[in-house]
Amino acid sequence: MNSRSQILGKLSKFEKPGISSIPSEINDKTIFNVFSDPSTFVDKFTKNFQALNGEIYIVKNLEDAGNELVSIISSLDNKKCLSHTTEVINKLFSINHTLSEIFDILNVDFLDSDIFSTYEVGLTTADFLIARTGSIVLNSLTAGGRRLSVLPPIHIVLAETNQIIPSLDEIFKNDFTSIDWSYATIISGPSRTSDIEKQLVLGAHGPKRLIVILIEN
Amino acid sequence: MTESKDFKIRASQKAADDSHRLKILKAISTYETKVDEMKSDQFFDWSVARDKATEIKKYLIDNLPGLLREFETKITNTGAKVIWAKDKEEAQQQIYDIIKQHNAKKIVKSKSMTTEEINFNEFCESKGLDVIESDLGELIVQLAGEKPYHIVTPAMHKSKQEISQLFSDKLGSAESDSAAELTMVARKHLRDKYTSADIGVTGANFLIADSGAVVLTENEGNIRLSTSCPPVHIVIAGIEKVLPRLSDLSLFLPLLATSGTGQQITGYNSIFRGPKKENEIDGPEHMYVILLDNGRSNLYSNPELREALQCIRCGACLNICPVYRTIGGHTYNTTYQGPIGSVITPHLQNIKTWNHLSSASSLCGACTQVCPVGIDIHHLLLNNRTKINSSLFWKIFINAWSTIMKRRRLLNFAAKIGSPFQKTLTKFLPRGIKKRIPQMAQKSFSEMWENNE
Ligand code: SF4
């Protein structure tokens, strides 16, 4: 008998299926302090995101977003920037030529992580922003795979205000889980550690800076 | 010498070590302030959250084999391979087979208690493989040649000075008294390890039955890097880690973060559904999930103890435990320390060797009170204790005791005849009890009450 059937066989002798019905789904409103008024979402997200040491720029439109991005990058020593392609990023690069010159576009040549490692900035989009926790949710399709949002020391997220949801439970309520991604992550602030004497240090292994450019719509 | 005698020696040494106690109390009080704040900031009512989590975990325990099968089917459909391991040796062998199959030399590993359970590092090193711990706390204990001190904060017992000395000895960095600088030393040391590794190894915080997903929670980003760059991802997960639904995470992620580190939610909570898809640019080509039993089915088969499998390894019961705080994590000499470790270790390993841990508790019940998934930890410890003391003498003694305690008159009588001997008796109490025991009252409260005194 193989290990699988041995383990499952032993467990099955003691299981009690049907003794209780499956507990109702989690409703965050009954458990957490959730903000349900959509007009407060931007404020709440901003406040909670900043509390996690995230940097946020709220802009009126894509054009302003481009200008903000150019000014962020101009203050960096290493200006090597990498992005993937999505509809909104393509649009941004088509209206802002400075950006389209600065940014390299992720493609199969970047499979070698050594080349990847020379980049300072990774630009991605996201799926949701969460007002209650100040988090960003993205997946391997919206964020150009797994490395772009974690390997470069600065991660910049281009998002829109209508992507803000009140709390975590909404992530699992819609199409998000049926999209065929292999990887998704909920990001709450730049990389951090408190492993040395419980003191908070930013930039442990992942991005040292996390920046959101939030376009109002 | 036996493990139990060794334990006592280590415990009395640590208990008298003031500098150790100072470091631990400092770390734990920082933790406690944050946890209290977060419980009231984030939750309407912590006990509602806890009850809900307990309900879900109980459902999981009742339905474990079914949920495991569902998880297996779903994650296999994503292209990941599921492997079952009965014990440590089998898990080691299976991992070694994967390593050989992929011709791997370098392994980058993130913090995982299951890998500690199976002595992953020692095993790989004995095979001439290069294993790098990527979590900062784990890296510190690895460089120091030690075992993790705590299931959540492995290097809790190390001061900045000690870490600075260690880094300068082993990594050749300049000494520093800044936590930020020391962290940057580790960051630099590890950076190219992720990109050059052949395999990334992780544990799992949750396995999700309804979507065939593995969920990992962290702050540093080392897990994300170890699962993004190397071409192979191996997950080693205990079979009790399943949750029925992906949507359960909206409770369990904040719950674990709050109890574990006093955070609202940890920095990165990642969901893995198999190796990279065809239309994805990167990610591992292969993903293996090793489902580890290693004694868990023993716990499962004991109706009184199985709720110990509800544990989400948040570490709250360690932090609150007056015994853990006094004797420290290393004294236990186990993978899982503190109250929950004392409950499960005798069953995961060997009851004869390890059941002394069940007595390493004052039964104050603080652990039960803080546990976010409602495990009745101190009663489980009591339950373990009855297993050690099954001698005839003990049975007679405990029967007599309970007969007396249940009858008022007998108790009064026993107290009466007992009180003159009390002074003499206390002389024979084991050495080490240095407190003076007050004289027993001449009359009991109930007698005084009856006589209206
Ligand atoms: S027993 Fe409860 S408190 Fe202790 S580590 Fe497990 S979940 Fe946390």
Side-chain angles (χ1 to χ4, degrees):
Chain A
M1 208 163 41
N2 66 19
S3 301
R4 178 185 186 275
S5 42
Q6 272 182 38
I7 297 170
L8 281 173
K10 188 164 169 196
L11 296 179
S12 301
K13 274 194 231 142
F14 301 96
E15 67 177 337
K16 296 176 184 161
I19 192 168
S20 53
S21 53
I22 186 157
S24 61
E25 293 234 12
I26 311 286
N27 176 354
D28 278 14
K29 285 199 186 69
T30 62
I31 294 176
F32 302 99
N33 300 319
V34 177
F35 324 106
S36 37
D37 175 4
S39 70
T40 65
F41 283 2
V42 174
D43 279 357
K44 299 293 181 192
F45 173 77
T46 306
K47 189 177 134 269
N48 291 328
F49 180 68
Q50 283 171 334
L52 294 167
N53 304 90
E55 301 163 46
I56 183 163
Y57 298 87
I58 302 174
V59 296
K60 292 254 166 310
N61 48 44
L62 201 60
E63 210 180 317
D64 290 355
N67 296 335
E68 204 59 73
L69 200 51
V70 172
S71 99
I72 295 169
I73 294 165
S74 65
S75 67
L76 303 175
D77 293 337
N78 176 358
K79 294 188 175 47
K80 285 194 77 174
C81 299
L82 193 58
S83 169
H84 65 126
T85 48
T86 69
E87 212 178 306
V88 49
I89 291 180
N90 285 344
K91 220 158 129 200
L92 176 70
F93 289 170
S94 72
I95 59 171
N96 189 318
H97 294 292
T98 321
L99 287 178
S100 58
E101 271 166 34
I102 299 175
F103 272 89
D104 289 334
I105 303 293
L106 191 60
N107 59 48
V108 284
D109 296 343
F110 289 90
L111 283 180
D112 180 355
S113 284
D114 286 341
I115 304 172
F116 214 119
S117 299
T118 60
Y119 283 86
E120 184 71 5
V121 173
L123 176 70
T124 75
T125 51
D127 298 279
F128 305 107
L129 309 179
I130 302 171
R132 186 175 79 75
T133 56
S135 313
I136 297 160
V137 184
L138 47 82
N139 74 60
S140 38
L141 300 170
T142 50
R146 299 193 187 190
R147 289 172 302 170
L148 186 59
S149 55
V150 70
L151 203 49
I154 302 173
H155 177 202
I156 304 180
V157 179
L158 193 61
E160 295 173 47
T161 47
N162 63 3
Q163 291 181 302
I164 305 180
I165 54 174
S167 193
L168 294 164
D169 54 351
E170 303 248 329
I171 305 174
F172 309 110
K173 277 188 189 141
N174 51 43
D175 306 344
F176 181 66
T177 51
S178 53
I179 304 167
D180 197 24
W181 42 260
S182 75
Y183 172 78
T185 190
I186 305 167
I187 300 175
S188 309
S191 153
R192 62 194 54 222
T193 182
S194 301
D195 273 354
I196 301 179
E197 291 196 359
K198 288 269 171 198
Q199 289 175 16
L200 178 69
V201 178
L202 297 181
H205 305 293
K208 296 178 178 178
R209 290 175 69 189
L210 176 64
I211 304 170
V212 166
I213 299 178
L214 187 59
I215 306 167
E216 287 178 325
N217 54 9
Chain B
M1 215 183 295
T2 63
E3 180 57 40
S4 141
K5 283 198 179 125
D6 274 347
F7 172 80
K8 278 190 193 149
I9 295 171
R10 286 192 301 266
S12 44
Q13 280 166 353
K14 267 286 150 122
D17 179 348
D18 286 342
S19 75
H20 168 260
R21 196 177 292 202
L22 223 63
K23 275 185 281 185
I24 298 314
L25 286 187
K26 195 172 145 204
I28 291 180
S29 70
T30 315
Y31 159 87
E32 279 182 333
T33 321
K34 288 207 288 178
V35 173
D36 289 347
E37 257 174 42
M38 199 40 80
K39 277 185 183 166
S40 54
D41 276 8
Q42 163 160 241
F43 295 91
F44 275 144
D45 183 346
W46 171 253
S47 65
V48 170
R50 181 186 143 124
D51 289 351
K52 183 75 191 175
T54 309
E55 190 193 351
I56 294 172
K57 279 285 182 175
K58 290 226 181 301
Y59 175 83
L60 146 78
I61 299 293
D62 289 336
N63 297 278
L64 184 58
L67 290 170
L68 277 168
R69 281 192 202 97
E70 187 184 351
F71 167 78
E72 181 187 33
T73 313
K74 294 264 166 71
I75 197 160
T76 307
N77 287 342
T78 70
K81 192 158 184 266
V82 175
I83 299 165
W84 299 70
K86 281 202 299 277
D87 53 27
K88 178 165 129 183
E89 286 74 28
E90 202 172 70
Q92 288 175 342
Q93 192 50 49
Q94 286 158 342
I95 294 166
Y96 192 55
D97 290 345
I98 300 172
I99 293 172
K100 273 195 306 200
Q101 188 192 328
H102 293 284
N103 245 325
K105 298 271 175 314
K106 289 188 214 158
I107 299 165
V108 65
K109 179 179 144 327
S110 55
K111 194 174 105 54
S112 126
M113 298 319 293
T114 41
T115 55
E116 296 292 336
E117 239 180 274
I118 64 167
N119 291 344
F120 182 84
N121 290 5
E122 292 83 347
F123 175 76
C124 288
E125 275 150 26
S126 77
K127 300 280 180 196
L129 298 156
D130 198 6
V131 185
I132 301 283
E133 288 285 358
S134 59
D135 172 87
L136 176 56
E138 290 281 348
L139 176 72
I140 294 169
V141 293
Q142 188 190 33
L143 290 175
E146 293 175 12
K147 288 278 180 189
Y149 181 90
H150 185 286
I151 55 175
V152 177
T153 333
M156 192 194 227
H157 61 303
K158 290 255 184 262
S159 68
K160 260 188 303 202
Q161 290 74 17
E162 289 166 311
I163 295 166
S164 162
Q165 185 67 52
L166 182 71
F167 281 3
S168 119
D169 288 353
K170 304 274 162 136
L171 306 177
S173 61
E175 296 236 8
S176 162
D177 62 356
S178 133
E181 278 175 25
L182 292 169
T183 304
M184 290 313 130
V185 172
R187 180 183 171 105
K188 236 177 100 197
H189 170 65
L190 286 170
R191 227 24 348 221
D192 58 340
K193 303 284 193 285
Y194 300 110
T195 48
S196 63
D198 304 311
I199 293 185
V201 172
T202 70
N205 291 95
F206 305 103
L207 307 171
I208 311 292
D210 77 350
S211 22
V214 173
V215 179
L216 279 154
T217 160
E218 59 161 336
N219 278 307
E220 298 183 4
N222 59 313
I223 295 182
R224 292 188 60 200
L225 287 163
S226 321
T227 52
S228 300
C229 305
V232 180
H233 177 193
I234 304 180
V235 178
I236 306 168
I239 49 172
E240 83 285 17
K241 290 280 169 188
V242 212
L243 281 179
R245 295 168 297 218
L246 199 61
S247 60
D248 295 326
L249 290 177
S250 79
L251 170 60
F252 277 91
L253 296 178
L255 193 84
L256 176 56
T258 301
S259 272
T261 48
Q263 288 175 282
Q264 185 171 32
I265 184 167
T266 43
Y268 302 116
N269 287 287
S270 301
I271 306 169
F272 299 87
R273 293 194 305 198
K276 115 188 210 330
K277 304 259 182 277
E278 244 169 62
N279 57 347
E280 291 177 341
I281 185 134
D282 57 11
E285 304 278 339
H286 306 274
M287 180 181 185
Y288 300 89
V289 180
I290 296 178
L291 294 174
L292 180 69
D293 179 349
N294 203 29
R296 288 166 174 79
S297 55
N298 298 342
L299 279 168
Y300 194 75
S301 60
N302 183 328
E304 279 144 10
L305 278 167
R306 61 200 286 172
E307 73 176 80
L309 293 172
Q310 287 166 214
C311 176
I312 54 172
R313 310 271 186 256
C314 71
C317 60
L318 283 64
N319 297 333
I320 197 89
C321 178
V323 175
Y324 181 89
R325 290 176 181 207
T326 310
I327 66 173
H330 285 151
T331 300
Y332 292 84
N333 198 22
T334 55
T335 304
Y336 303 101
Q337 315 84 9
I340 189 66
S342 301
V343 170
I344 62 176
T345 307
H347 305 278
L348 296 188
Q349 300 202 25
N350 168 332
I351 222 167
K352 272 218 172 79
T353 319
W354 296 100
N355 216 357
H356 60 277
L357 294 178
S358 314
S359 303
S361 159
S362 63
L363 298 182
C364 67
C367 46
T368 304
Q369 216 167 16
V370 292
C371 178
V373 288
I375 305 176
D376 195 351
I377 308 170
H378 70 296
H379 278 106
L380 300 186
L381 282 170
L382 256 182
N383 196 296
N384 273 359
R385 284 189 193 183
T386 58
K387 295 211 167 55
I388 347 175
N389 280 309
S390 48
S391 68
L392 188 64
F393 170 76
W394 178 256
K395 277 188 190 138
I396 294 172
F397 173 76
I398 216 69
N399 271 328
W401 179 265
S402 72
T403 317
I404 293 173
M405 289 309 268
K406 280 183 197 149
R407 289 177 184 76
R408 184 74 245 177
R409 278 156 166 254
L410 274 177
L411 181 60
N412 287 349
F413 180 67
K416 253 209 173 89
I417 56 166
S419 75
F421 298 109
Q422 186 221 356
K423 207 169 189 171
T424 338
L425 261 174
T426 49
K427 288 212 182 93
F428 295 105
L429 284 178
R431 283 207 293 154
I433 298 186
K434 300 227 170 77
K435 282 190 216 147
R436 255 193 310 147
I437 297 179
Q439 273 293 334
M440 233 186 252
Q442 295 298 325
K443 282 183 186 173
S444 71
F445 176 74
S446 67
E447 281 174 303
M448 289 163 77
W449 181 262
E450 262 169 31
N451 301 333
N452 272 333
E453 281 173 35

